[in-house]
């Protein structure tokens, strides 16, 4: 999970993260496998762990800003079952002025379980709750960088 | 669903409510039945529908107050399975200065599926997010009354 | 929800379906909006309602076959909030020998909330639980047809 | 987490277990705190970890038997918020011929967050899916024992 080399400033930035998880019973469904909606939760758990690894909280660091998800997808290759242990690897694939793109890989040992992507956008909240896209603050953007290709298995 | 009789003011108060629901696939688990944690969600769905039937929203009506749950329990008599249709009946069993108590019955046709209780407390939020018990505002308390015994099957 | 025209046999086939839903409290998150993972559950709820409208249960009709999801995605345009009423429209966009593709549109009144797709594959289960792609049985495939373009707003 | 002393056979039995968890975003609700239904999932996660600590899987060890929940309750003392770290301690308080009773304590540092109980019953499944209470097999019952009073804070 170390993020490469490069200059000193770059080496302190986070670009990817991996968490290990075990399937909980409430995540399974009557087909005996993890419900597909839970994979999106796994991806987000890894994303938030990446932010913590960067010294940030996606909720508390943002000073009134929020990071709603604007796109998410998964391809499911193999099922996960109760008590399976698996890894969720997330990698930053794009950092734009107002958005961040991630790629996610879920594996169980050597097996590829699922592959996903997630795009979040930085928003400010107006009175009434309406959201408007806003630039990612430098103190957040400076903690991250796009991952080198192929870092996540 | 009618809430008793009595004076005109009383007759406009709500004391119980019933919703019909169908089991969704994501609510089932690998045992092929609804996960027990979902029953607490069913009970809350019926509670919030009761508030709507009383002309209220438990979130928007409260003017900065909140209604966290302080106690909840269920006894499970029979399982629910995917696509089962069932009824969730909730009934007010206690209204105190700062709290409301409910009893809940989940049935599928003539069968008793589960029986629960729920207690909520009215709280104000202090700066920093701390919660403190507060009297239920009259405009909320006046919409509800304790149900007559035995109203819910 | 009418499914097009065509021959008599065709007219009895289902190609799209719409359900109306209200946001439940347990579906919201600390950002005050529906958690993005719940949209995938909404899409599946509409899919299963489509199967029921076709006289089928995706679990019980399949005679030992299953229909795991192999791909799912959503783009999120606007948030949903507690007690919002919204519509989930699902439409069959592809029927292949072993898979079905859907497009899904979530709307609140005139507003476009989210747009998704879902691909399911028919599988048989081998001893040990392994899944293998299998042809969709005729008694299932014959109940469905691809929706005419543009049927879902 | 060591389970007391006593005879050699007793010392190899499990009576309690503790897991550390962090609040995930999808577990929070629009009130900014963990939804109360998730506490029941936390309790079950600790229970299944206790079974694993005893060398068992509650699903795979049971040889066709199942362990549905027949009663569950929680009292909620303090809220949990996003990214809070907390402990879930579960303790066996009763082992009967066909059922097991647990007590559960959720704490965050020194703070008492919630206190619950859970009762599970051993069942066999008849053709058609009906469940019937059955004696807990010796190879399972022999792995557990009732916890000494006061072991869990």
């Amino acid at each position: 999970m170390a993020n490469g080399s490069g200059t000193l400033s770059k080496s302190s930035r986070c670009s990817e993260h991996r968490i290990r998880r075990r399937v909980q019973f409430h995540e399974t469904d009557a087909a005996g496998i993890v419900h597909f909606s839970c994979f999106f939760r796994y991806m987000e758990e890894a994303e938030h762990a990446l932010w913590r690894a960067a010294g940030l909280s996606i909720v508390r660091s943002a000073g009134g800003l929020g990071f709603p998800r604007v796109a998410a997808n998964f391809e499911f290759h193999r099922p996960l079952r109760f008590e399976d242990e698996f890894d969720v690897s997330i990698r930053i694939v794009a950092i734009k002025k107002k958005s961040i793109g991630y790629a996610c890989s879920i594996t169980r040992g050597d097996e590829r379980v699922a592959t996903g992507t997630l795009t979040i956008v930085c928003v400010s909240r107006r009175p009434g709750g309406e959201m408007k896209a806003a630039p990612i603050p430098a103190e957040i953007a400076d903690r991250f960088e796009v991952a080198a290709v192929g870092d996540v298995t």
Side-chain angles (χ1 to χ4, degrees), chain A:
Chain A
M1 289 297 92
N3 43 343
S5 51
T7 69
L8 190 62
S9 66
K10 279 224 157 192
S11 70
S12 66
R13 296 181 175 212
C14 284
S15 59
E16 56 184 302
H17 196 73
R18 183 179 306 183
I19 59 172
R20 176 150 291 184
R21 260 293 236 118
R22 187 189 294 277
V23 172
Q24 299 297 337
F25 195 67
H26 58 82
E27 296 165 347
T28 64
D29 62 30
I33 62 178
V34 169
H35 192 262
F36 79 111
S37 63
C38 294
F39 286 76
F40 294 91
R41 299 179 170 191
Y42 297 157
M43 177 162 59
E44 191 182 71
E45 291 185 13
E47 180 213 8
H48 294 172
L50 169 68
W51 280 59
R52 286 191 294 273
L56 299 168
S57 164
I58 198 167
V59 167
R60 293 175 189 140
S61 303
L65 298 173
F67 290 88
R69 282 79 251 279
V70 294
N73 93 78
F74 254 108
E75 292 187 25
F76 306 99
H77 312 302
R78 282 181 182 79
L80 288 173
R81 292 191 164 80
F82 177 57
E83 293 188 332
D84 279 357
E85 279 193 292
F86 60 96
D87 292 311
V88 187
S89 299
I90 196 154
R91 183 176 86 230
I92 299 178
V93 294
I95 302 180
K96 298 184 180 171
K97 192 182 169 194
K98 300 178 180 178
S99 69
I100 298 175
Y102 303 98
C104 179
S105 171
I106 295 183
T107 52
R108 180 183 49 211
D110 291 340
E111 294 181 309
R112 205 175 54 134
V113 170
T115 312
T117 64
L118 177 67
T119 307
I120 67 172
V121 64
C122 183
V123 301
S124 59
R125 272 166 230 203
R126 299 174 160 186
E130 202 192 340
M131 298 173 177
K132 184 177 161 54
I136 301 170
E139 59 269 28
I140 290 176
D142 289 352
R143 303 290 183 96
F144 295 120
E145 66 180 347
V146 172
V149 176
D151 274 356
V152 171
T153 51

